[in-house]
Amino acid sequence: MIRLAVQPLTAEAFAPFGQLIEASDAVRHFPINGGTTERYHDLARIDLDPGSHPVISIFRGQPRPSPYEITMMERHPRGSQAFIPLNGRPYLVVVAVSSAQVAAADLRVFLARGDQGVNYAAGVWHHPLIALDTISDFLVIDRGGPGCNCDEQTLPESTWIVLPARD
Amino acid sequence: MIRLAVQPLTAEAFAPFGQLIEASDAVRHFPINGGTTERYHDLARIDLDPGSHPVISIFRGQPRPSPYEITMMERHPRGSQAFIPLNGRPYLVVVAVSSAQVAAADLRVFLARGDQGVNYAAGVWHHPLIALDTISDFLVIDRGGPGCNCDEQTLPESTWIVLPARD
């Protein structure tokens, strides 16, 4: 059994896999609407293949237990996929550095805060939504259009995430 | 002084102006990810002119007081604009049925719940973000690209919103 390390989600650590969607001082922001609103601008790259279009959905995720076994990963070769939490609760982000057969050593596990969204770049191996604690909603921006856009693979080893104690 | 009526936000009432973004039983939904997640699918029409692209941002809005005076309206002729609340708090949506000079009688005011987003169709006159109660974040999906995409006009009459008492 392999136990994966869990790290905080930061823009720098997530950069190889896509973009963090967060209203932080580190991103470009400026006042609009007569100064009543601050715009944190252009936080994610929506990357879709020709002939497709962006689709806005809400995913309502059941919470996963801890320890949690990672048995498979998926990727969307034709488009990016963004998740933004709507209930302010933390969740898990699992991605792989590999572009071929994924082994446990390729996995990176991030504990996202409830005010952090992620945009998986097209083709990045990731685990489906892992909500925590209770049923949670996420806004999702992904792709609609012709052609198969989901590959899956099974992990070869017994691979687990054990969440650290949280407040 | 004109005092505008405030109505609840429903998909039917908002239909002339765009789409409601809400995980309700009335929209198409189906299980994914081995039954661990329910997908409320394709909730908004992202409508952008040729040569432009979707932009994902976060708007951090200052709360507006009640009574609140509506002095101007704006529209984006080249693309839709979606707002989804990230803090679960209600907010105000003000739109106009007119496509030309907007008068107070043309305005419709909706009190949106904190789990309801809206997507303004391209060209629909609307008021900039009206957060309530406290500073609130909204995910925004709008348009990037060449050309002017914001028209504004001033209302000819003194027009006010008085919020009903809320829990």
Side-chain angles (χ1 to χ4, degrees), chain A residues 36 40 43 56 58 62 64, chain B residues 36 40 43 56 58 64:
Chain A
T36 61
Y40 295 81
L43 303 176
I56 309 300
I58 293 175
Q62 302 285 331
R64 311 290 180 112
Chain B
T36 61
Y40 295 81
L43 304 175
I56 309 299
I58 292 174
R64 311 290 180 113

Side-chain angles (χ1 to χ4, degrees), chain A residues 53 58 83 100:
Chain A
H53 60 278
I58 293 175
F83 289 80

Side-chain angles (χ1 to χ4, degrees), chain A residues 113-146:
Chain A
R113 299 194 316 262
D115 62 351
Q116 294 179 314
V118 291
N119 184 44
Y120 299 116
V124 166
W125 288 105
H126 61 277
H127 193 276
L129 178 63
I130 304 180
L132 298 173
D133 302 328
T134 186
I135 294 173
S136 301
D137 285 353
F138 294 78
L139 192 82
V140 174
I141 306 158
D142 57 7
R143 172 197 175 272

Side-chain angles (χ1 to χ4, degrees), chain B residues 4 14 16-18 70 72-75 93-110 120-121 123-127 153 155:
Chain B
L4 300 171
F14 191 71
F17 312 105
I70 303 295
M72 58 79 71
M73 297 284 279
E74 67 179 27
R75 67 176 175 186
V93 171
V94 184
V95 288
V97 296
S98 170
S99 61
Q101 171 64 49
V102 175
D106 301 322
L107 299 182
R108 301 292 178 270
V109 184
F110 299 100
Y120 298 117
V124 165
W125 288 105
H126 61 276
H127 193 276
Q153 63 173 289
L155 289 193

Side-chain angles (χ1 to χ4, degrees), chain A residues 46-96:
Chain A
I46 305 302
D47 178 26
L48 308 176
D49 65 346
S52 64
H53 60 278
V55 171
I56 309 300
S57 304
I58 293 175
F59 283 16
R60 178 161 290 170
Q62 302 285 331
R64 311 290 180 112
S66 176
Y68 183 70
E69 185 175 13
I70 302 296
T71 62
M72 58 80 71
M73 297 284 279
E74 67 178 27
R75 68 177 174 186
H76 308 301
R78 297 178 185 272
S80 55
Q81 187 179 41
F83 289 80
I84 300 100
L86 297 178
N87 300 130
R89 277 192 284 269
Y91 62 103
L92 284 180
V93 171
V94 183
V95 287

Side-chain angles (χ1 to χ4, degrees), chain B residues 9-60:
Chain B
L9 182 62
T10 65
E12 186 178 10
F14 191 71
F17 312 105
Q19 301 88 39
L20 197 56
I21 299 172
E22 182 183 26
S24 89
D25 284 340
V27 302
R28 184 181 167 213
H29 59 98
F30 45 89
I32 59 171
N33 300 347
T36 61
T37 294
E38 191 76 7
R39 179 175 181 132
Y40 295 81
H41 182 65
D42 200 5
L43 304 175
R45 180 161 182 258
I46 305 302
D47 178 26
L48 308 176
D49 65 346
S52 64
H53 60 276
V55 171
I56 309 299
S57 304
I58 292 174
F59 283 17
R60 177 162 289 171

